[in-house]
Amino acid sequence: MINTPYFPVDKLKEEETPLYYYDLHLLDETLDAIKEAAHYPNFHVHYAVKANSNPEILQRIAAAGLGADTVSLGEIRAAVTAGFPAPKIVFAGVGKTDIEITTALQYGIGCFNVESAAELDVIEQLAAGMGIKAPVALRVNPEIDAHTHHYITTGLAENKFGIALTMVETLVERCVKSESLDFKGFHFHIGSQVTDLTPFKILCERINDLQEKFADVEIPWINVGGGLGIDYDNPDENPIPDFKTYFNIFHDNLKLRPGQQVHFELGRAVVAQCGSLITRVVYVKEGIGKKFVIVDGGMTALIRPALYQAHHKIENITTSSDVTEKYDVVGPICESSDVFGTDEILPVTKRGDLIALRSAGAYGEIMASGYNCRPLPGSIFSR
Ligand code: LLP
């Protein structure tokens, strides 16, 4: 039975806010659900470290047996420290530096997801210098609209990510001929917070077409990226995403070759629902025709509302009074975009109450900043 988050309010009251509270039971149940849904022996799930690299969270995900998807040397180091075996680490990103590439080669990571011809040149040269073969997959831009916020869509021609379909052939040839490159296959990622799953079906069709074009090339694996969305409006009703439907789309629609392996890179769907930002009401302010609840954590603690107009469910976890009021819930930062919600119906709220911003486990703590010289939020865990 799925547990809905239980906030240990008495304990949280003693803590310095803002801070992130992680429900590790829910994380474990989510990891179990992933393993069950991705049970096909040729399916390999990597966790996108960018979503949350809190060491406690990373260690738990590594212990569950997932691989890691990384985008910087810092993330590779965090993944290795948390216990992800290097061969289960993949490395993407449009701007990999020489030192990042060399160190990743030394670690013996599983694959570089290569984003351009220029990057392929550098990886080849550095691997040749070390007398080894670099495992590479070409990140192909599949030109699919993931119907998500334009800041988090990645698979369109206008985006900086991936290699244009028209350029793929030349680069595959180069990989196959190279003494210093070990061609693993193709990598894709269409965008994030994808809730209508049709784009994933379209992705499968694109992949099938692409594979047909390279009938005589050995393609050991296909990496379909991440992107599965979560239910921000109803975190208690849907604490665990529908992993079964998601993985079965790939199982049912990809035309795989014998022995071909499929890799996934899920971030948000793994960790979003297990985390909440806990923040304290500093003032309740009477405005003109409205009331503001001013909390001590703002866009520096959780930037998603300010950056993507995202909405995280807001709850007063101190009081459960039936008497409600309408509030704008805002942070203390000197920016007009520092707003968590407008016209939120909450129990009558007072100074000192604790407010939870739900579904903040992904792209929350990791995107916090020190703007306005504010300290980074801490974290505590359910046991
Ligand atoms: N693989 C690649 C190559 C990616 O670029 C990403 C996310 C993922 C996997 C993981 O995607 P996920 O399963 O988490 O959707 N900060 C934004 C999200 C940015 C996502 C960037 N790439 C947000 O808060 O919504």
Side-chain angles (χ1 to χ4, degrees):
M1 185 57 201
I2 290 160
N3 60 299
T4 52
Y6 152 78
F7 292 105
V9 178
D10 285 340
K11 186 171 172 220
L12 291 170
K13 260 198 268 184
E14 308 301 317
E15 300 285 336
E16 216 169 285
T17 48
L19 89 161
Y20 277 87
Y21 172 72
Y22 294 107
D23 180 343
L24 295 178
H25 303 290
L26 181 56
L27 177 60
D28 287 345
E29 287 182 40
T30 307
L31 291 167
D32 286 346
I34 291 173
K35 284 196 270 185
E36 199 184 313
H39 64 276
Y40 305 106
N42 61 334
F43 276 23
H44 308 272
V45 183
H46 301 255
Y47 165 64
V49 174
K50 65 171 82 65
N52 188 323
S53 65
N54 185 303
E56 183 87 27
I57 302 274
L58 277 189
Q59 282 162 25
R60 243 177 155 86
I61 298 174
L66 272 64
D69 159 44
T70 62
V71 289
S72 71
L73 181 53
E75 285 192 358
I76 294 174
R77 289 203 173 112
V80 170
T81 307
F84 290 92
K88 283 170 104 171
I89 297 177
V90 294
F91 182 18
V94 294
K96 301 178 189 79
T97 62
D98 293 18
I99 185 75
E100 289 184 312
I101 293 168
T102 311
T103 316
L105 285 168
Q106 283 161 352
Y107 272 124
I109 65 155
C111 195
F112 291 84
N113 292 328
V114 177
E115 308 245 6
S116 64
E119 181 194 330
L120 195 65
D121 285 344
V122 174
I123 294 179
E124 186 177 25
Q125 280 164 24
L126 293 173
M130 293 166 75
I132 54 175
K133 274 191 160 201
V136 293
L138 296 177
R139 175 166 179 182
V140 177
N141 187 332
E143 294 181 26
I144 294 172
D145 191 346
H147 302 294
T148 182
H149 190 279
H150 64 284
Y151 278 11
I152 52 176
T153 188
T154 46
L156 293 174
E158 71 200 48
N159 299 128
K160 68 181 174 183
F161 301 101
I163 295 162
L165 282 163
T166 47
M167 295 164 79
V168 173
E169 199 168 339
T170 325
L171 294 189
V172 169
E173 233 171 76
R174 278 203 38 205
C175 289
V176 173
K177 282 190 188 145
S178 170
E179 304 259 299
S180 309
L181 299 174
D182 177 14
F183 182 62
K184 293 288 185 195
F186 297 115
H187 172 236
F188 306 83
H189 176 71
I190 58 172
S192 199
Q193 183 53 13
V194 179
T195 46
D196 164 11
L197 302 189
T198 319
F200 291 123
K201 271 192 203 159
I202 300 172
L203 174 61
C204 291
E205 287 160 21
R206 287 276 201 293
I207 295 172
N208 295 340
D209 293 347
L210 192 70
Q211 293 231 76
E212 268 178 33
K213 274 205 207 154
F214 296 98
D216 49 353
V217 177
E218 208 181 309
I219 305 172
W221 85 38
I222 299 291
N223 182 332
V224 299
L228 176 63
I230 62 132
D231 190 343
Y232 280 99
D233 297 329
N234 306 293
D236 292 327
E237 290 79 354
N238 294 311
I240 298 182
D242 184 359
F243 291 112
K244 237 178 219 148
T245 305
Y246 169 75
F247 285 112
N248 280 339
I249 285 180
F250 294 96
H251 180 258
D252 297 342
N253 293 284
L254 277 178
K255 288 187 202 151
L256 294 175
R257 299 179 183 176
Q260 205 164 40
Q261 308 295 304
V262 186
H263 293 253
F264 298 84
E265 300 173 343
L266 293 176
R268 186 188 317 265
V270 185
V271 290
Q273 297 291 31
C274 77
S276 298
L277 176 68
I278 308 295
T279 176
R280 200 179 306 258
V281 178
V282 192
Y283 299 109
V284 178
K285 173 175 169 173
E286 293 280 350
I288 306 291
K290 62 164 70 196
K291 279 190 176 177
F292 295 97
V293 164
I294 303 172
V295 292
D296 63 1
M299 61 192 282
T300 54
L302 177 63
I303 200 174
R304 301 195 68 258
L307 192 55
Y308 316 113
Q309 295 86 44
H311 185 258
H312 290 254
K313 195 171 176 206
I314 301 176
E315 285 172 4
N316 183 327
I317 58 171
T318 300
T319 170
S320 55
S321 162
D322 287 343
V323 189
T324 58
E325 276 236 56
K326 210 188 262 181
Y327 301 101
D328 283 9
V329 179
V330 302
I333 310 301
C334 301
E335 298 273 347
S336 301
S337 58
D338 188 28
V339 174
F340 285 140
T342 46
D343 294 336
E344 297 279 337
I345 308 288
L346 295 176
V348 171
T349 295
K350 56 184 192 319
R351 174 175 164 82
D353 284 358
L354 292 179
I355 301 287
L357 283 123
R358 302 288 306 279
S359 315
Y363 307 110
E365 187 183 356
I366 192 68
M367 291 180 80
S369 80
Y371 183 42
N372 285 187
C373 287
R374 292 199 170 257
L376 293 175
S379 55
I380 64 166
F381 305 87
S382 67
R383 291 286 166 202

